[in-house]
Amino acid sequence: MRSIKLGTSDLDVPVIAVGCMRINTLDKAGAERFVAASLEQGANFFDHADIYGKGACEEIFADAVHMSSSVREGLILQSKCGIRPGQFDFSKEHILEAVDGILGRLKTDYLDILLLHRPDALVEPDEVAAAFDELEQAGKVRHFGVSNQTPNQIELLKKSVKQPIVANQLQLSITNATMITRGFNVNMENAEAVDRDGGILDYCRLHDITVQPWSPFQFGFFEGVFLDNAKFPELNAKIDEVAAKHGVSNTTIAIAWLLRHPAHMQPVTGTMNVQRLQDCCKAADVTLSREDWYGILLAAGNTLP
């Protein structure tokens, strides 16, 4: 598995992150097979959140991997906190309590990366900074990042937070690519020119923050997958054409499209199907041509000005 540096850290991570949001849909044997298959592919970076399965996903993963100190050494574990029923919460008290819960469920003493989940409108940067400092000093968290945040939201945190923000997990796929398409619709009057994210993609590149695309196969907000979907005939025809050229599956091409972007992204998979996970991992060895990359972009319904 090809690796990249995570943000400005010294941490080498696989270019594919294994999302564990749906691991609670597997039985014990299925979860063990899935985790083992991930590790066989060199995909040892596992993405969690305390809300996935209301915490059950972290527990199931720890059992499936047969967590021990020796096993832990071969894993890179990331989790997220900040979403509570009916609210978002970046208070110091909640962050500290959430991390203790995460560590207990994952049966580990530390997280490699902690991300703040959905932005909290009531965030106090000084509280976040105090929580991060305490977690770092206690050895409970080694690196910190965010999820779904704009440049100014990150800058606000950086007023107080001294640790580097190494990652920003953002929704991005071939069919949800406004972060990319806005870049060449500058100063236009069309809908594609609307700034929905504050220029977060360029910001992350400028500040060496690793973008982690989530839902890389979804269209809309969890409306379904675009692969083999009759709603996207032109897109699927183009993806299939490129897949045939490389001798891989359409799943591989959908991930390779993200990896081709020069931001050096780390897509987060969501599948619990071992074959599809293996197809995702194969994308690490596929480099799309400029022509094929743009061809897929246009086939998704995007236009060049």
Side-chain angles (χ1 to χ4, degrees):
M1 172 68 68
R2 182 162 56 87
S3 65
I4 57 173
K5 291 289 185 184
L6 189 70
T8 56
S9 76
D10 59 358
L11 187 61
D12 290 310
V13 299
V15 292
I16 304 297
V18 180
C20 295
M21 185 175 73
R22 298 181 179 89
I23 199 169
N24 61 334
T25 63
L26 303 177
D27 60 19
K28 180 177 175 59
E32 289 177 342
R33 283 195 299 271
F34 178 78
V35 172
S38 301
L39 295 174
E40 287 171 6
Q41 296 295 311
N44 67 336
F45 186 110
F46 295 93
D47 175 72
H48 295 272
D50 58 0
I51 63 162
Y52 294 165
K54 298 180 180 179
C57 292
E58 291 168 330
E59 293 177 337
I60 291 168
F61 171 84
D63 289 341
V65 79
H66 303 289
M67 188 66 78
S68 66
S69 57
S70 59
V71 168
R72 180 66 182 91
E73 291 177 4
L75 305 176
I76 302 173
L77 298 183
Q78 171 176 282
S79 195
K80 302 180 285 292
C81 72
I83 297 180
R84 299 176 62 188
Q87 62 178 289
F88 302 137
D89 190 347
F90 288 175
S91 65
K92 176 184 177 182
E93 179 182 19
H94 178 68
I95 293 173
L96 295 177
E97 181 181 357
V99 169
D100 283 342
I102 291 167
L103 296 178
R105 290 187 293 272
L106 287 175
K107 299 180 181 178
T108 182
D109 295 328
Y110 69 96
L111 284 176
D112 294 285
I113 311 104
L114 173 71
L115 304 185
L116 298 179
H117 220 155
R118 292 276 175 186
D120 176 14
L122 302 181
V123 62
E124 295 283 0
D126 286 348
E127 283 199 43
V128 175
F132 282 10
D133 286 346
E134 190 167 323
L135 291 169
E136 184 179 54
Q137 290 163 11
K140 294 181 178 180
V141 178
R142 296 185 175 180
H143 304 282
F144 299 86
V146 296
S147 183
N148 308 298
Q149 293 212 9
T150 67
N152 281 339
Q153 288 169 331
I154 295 173
E155 285 296 315
L156 181 62
L157 285 178
K158 287 166 64 176
K159 279 186 60 180
S160 303
V161 171
K162 67 182 182 183
Q163 293 84 0
I165 301 299
V166 298
N168 189 6
Q169 199 168 111
L170 298 154
Q171 185 177 19
L172 179 61
S173 71
I174 294 170
T175 52
N176 286 41
T178 57
M179 288 198 310
I180 294 172
T181 58
R182 189 187 68 82
F184 50 72
N185 282 281
V186 176
N187 201 37
M188 303 290 288
E189 295 184 353
N190 54 16
E192 290 76 13
V194 174
D195 184 354
R196 293 178 170 84
D197 55 57
I200 188 59
L201 183 56
D202 290 337
Y203 175 88
C204 287
R205 293 183 70 184
L206 284 166
H207 294 272
D208 295 318
I209 297 172
T210 298
V211 172
Q212 296 179 333
W214 57 266
S215 288
F217 304 107
Q218 292 277 335
F219 67 93
F221 188 70
F222 292 108
E223 292 179 40
V225 298
F226 55 81
L227 292 177
D228 299 320
N229 189 322
K231 291 183 177 181
F232 303 94
E234 185 179 349
L235 174 58
N236 277 287
K238 184 62 181 179
I239 290 175
D240 289 347
E241 173 194 321
V242 177
K245 184 186 302 185
H246 288 272
V248 296
S249 72
N250 57 359
T251 295
T252 301
I253 295 303
I255 296 294
W257 189 85
L258 293 168
L259 294 179
R260 176 63 178 83
H261 194 279
H264 303 296
M265 301 180 193
Q266 185 192 31
V268 182
T269 65
T271 183
M272 290 293 110
N273 180 288
V274 169
Q275 181 59 59
R276 283 198 290 273
L277 175 66
Q278 291 170 342
D279 287 344
C280 289
C281 292
K282 289 177 183 177
D285 299 318
V286 175
T287 301
L288 299 186
S289 69
R290 178 179 290 269
E291 290 74 20
D292 284 341
W293 188 89
Y294 270 100
I296 290 171
L297 179 75
L298 298 179
N302 299 294
T303 58
L304 300 181

